[in-house]
Amino acid sequence: MDQKVSIGNFEQKRTQGIEDPMFKKGLGYRIGQAIVDWAERLNLKYAVHGNPPVYDNATFPWAADIEKEWKLIRAELDRVLTRKDELPGFHEILSEVSTISTDRDWKTFVLCGYGSVSEEGVRACPETWRILQKVPGLKAAMFSIFEPGKHLKAHRGPYNGVLRLHLGLKVPPERDKIAIRVLDRICHWDEGKVLLFDDAYEHEAWNHSGETRVVLFVDFVKPTRFPASLTNWLLLNLAPFTPFIREGYQAQKKWEKLFFAGGKEH
């Protein structure tokens, strides 16, 4: 049965079949999950900008500053994509993602993630990293690469204390074949344009075109008022110590060692 977090007219469900990566099942799982559910209710109640599934970009004025420099990010992405076949599948870095994707048609190139920064990634994409500093409460950033035919099934994020930004970087022209559904709203990516949404709502994405689609994928802290701001800060700062984040960090470092060593040989 789906678990629901709701307050007033808002409801966010944990989609059945998607593992919650904040805590591994086992010792302390029920306590940890109860804390997360309680914090999610606070985040809904004390959200500064409400709880829409998709946000108006004007809500976050800094988004326009990122759009202004998108071509610098695209140039660095193009260099990364020269070695696209060597990039890892998302599930190869974050194992819990295997509940929604088990192929290498969803690839990633990580710059930072919940307490860790990829020094090699930043060195490869210095302008992207500089521009990312415009994002208040930056928690994670990476290139998200959908190969032709990829369809990411419906799911929700593990915790509603963050919001997600997608910046379109490489978007095929077949608009009717490429989209993301957030709750009941179908959204499209455009090159150089930001899309802001709450991944705690059920969403799915697809690329049914014949070309690769790439976005800059960013998680940032959801603005909330006290006391939610305090509990959210605590949980997000504990996240790097969870098994999910630790294992992801180790997988990322292992992959980087091979990838960047190979780059230096060339």
Side-chain angles (χ1 to χ4, degrees), residues 4 19 27 31 42-44 46 51 100 103 113 136 140 152 158 167 173 175-176 179 187 194 209 216 219-220 236 263:
K4 301 179 181 180
E19 294 181 15
L27 183 62
I31 295 174
L42 287 180
N43 290 336
L44 288 171
Y46 293 101
N51 299 284
I100 57 172
D103 57 46
L152 195 61
L167 172 66
R175 188 176 180 86
D176 61 324
C187 302
V194 160
S209 78
L216 180 65
D219 282 352
F220 62 97
L236 291 175

Side-chain angles (χ1 to χ4, degrees), residues 71-135:
K71 289 186 177 180
L72 295 175
I73 302 175
R74 170 63 188 265
E76 293 184 338
L77 167 69
D78 287 342
R79 290 197 291 273
V80 169
L81 290 180
T82 62
R83 300 177 64 190
K84 184 181 68 170
D85 291 344
E86 300 173 62
L87 298 178
F90 212 117
H91 68 287
E92 294 173 322
I93 300 299
L94 299 177
S95 62
E96 275 76 1
V97 173
S98 62
T99 58
I100 57 172
S101 181
T102 56
D103 57 46
R104 300 191 71 254
D105 289 338
W106 184 22
K107 296 184 177 70
T108 186
F109 182 87
V110 175
L111 293 167
C112 69
Y114 292 89
S116 67
V117 175
S118 169
E119 294 180 4
E120 293 283 8
V122 169
R123 191 173 296 116
C125 302
E127 287 299 304
T128 301
W129 186 243
R130 176 185 62 79
I131 295 165
L132 282 168
Q133 304 316 299
K134 300 176 184 288
V135 181

Side-chain angles (χ1 to χ4, degrees), residues 22 38 159 227-241:
M22 289 295 281
W38 172 70
Y159 177 58
S229 55
L230 176 59
T231 58
N232 197 28
W233 181 88
L234 288 171
L235 278 180
L236 291 175
N237 279 278
L238 285 172
F241 302 101

Side-chain angles (χ1 to χ4, degrees), residues 110-243:
V110 175
L111 293 167
C112 69
Y114 292 89
S116 67
V117 175
S118 169
E119 294 180 4
E120 293 283 8
V122 169
R123 191 173 296 116
C125 302
E127 287 299 304
T128 301
W129 186 243
R130 176 185 62 79
I131 295 165
L132 282 168
Q133 304 316 299
K134 300 176 184 288
V135 181
L138 175 68
K139 301 306 294 184
M142 63 202 76
F143 294 133
S144 175
I145 302 159
F146 269 23
E147 296 286 26
K150 181 61 178 176
H151 191 131
L152 195 61
K153 67 182 183 180
H155 63 288
R156 65 147 281 181
Y159 177 58
N160 71 1
V162 294
L163 298 177
R164 181 154 298 163
L165 174 151
H166 280 180
L167 172 66
L169 295 175
K170 184 176 175 62
V171 183
E174 300 171 88
R175 188 176 180 86
D176 61 324
K177 296 182 179 181
I178 308 164
I180 180 170
R181 175 184 65 82
V182 185
L183 199 58
D184 59 355
R185 180 169 170 181
I186 303 296
C187 302
H188 298 275
W189 298 283
D190 292 296
E191 292 187 357
K193 298 299 180 182
V194 160
L195 171 66
L196 292 157
F197 64 99
D198 186 341
D199 87 314
Y201 288 102
E202 184 181 86
H203 58 286
E204 63 179 317
W206 56 90
N207 175 15
H208 296 158
S209 78
E211 301 178 42
T212 301
R213 183 241 64 179
V214 186
V215 300
L216 180 65
F217 172 120
V218 176
D219 282 352
F220 62 97
V221 178
K222 180 177 183 174
T224 55
R225 300 184 300 277
F226 184 84
S229 55
L230 176 59
T231 58
N232 197 28
W233 181 88
L234 288 171
L235 278 180
L236 291 175
N237 279 278
L238 285 172
F241 302 101
T242 62

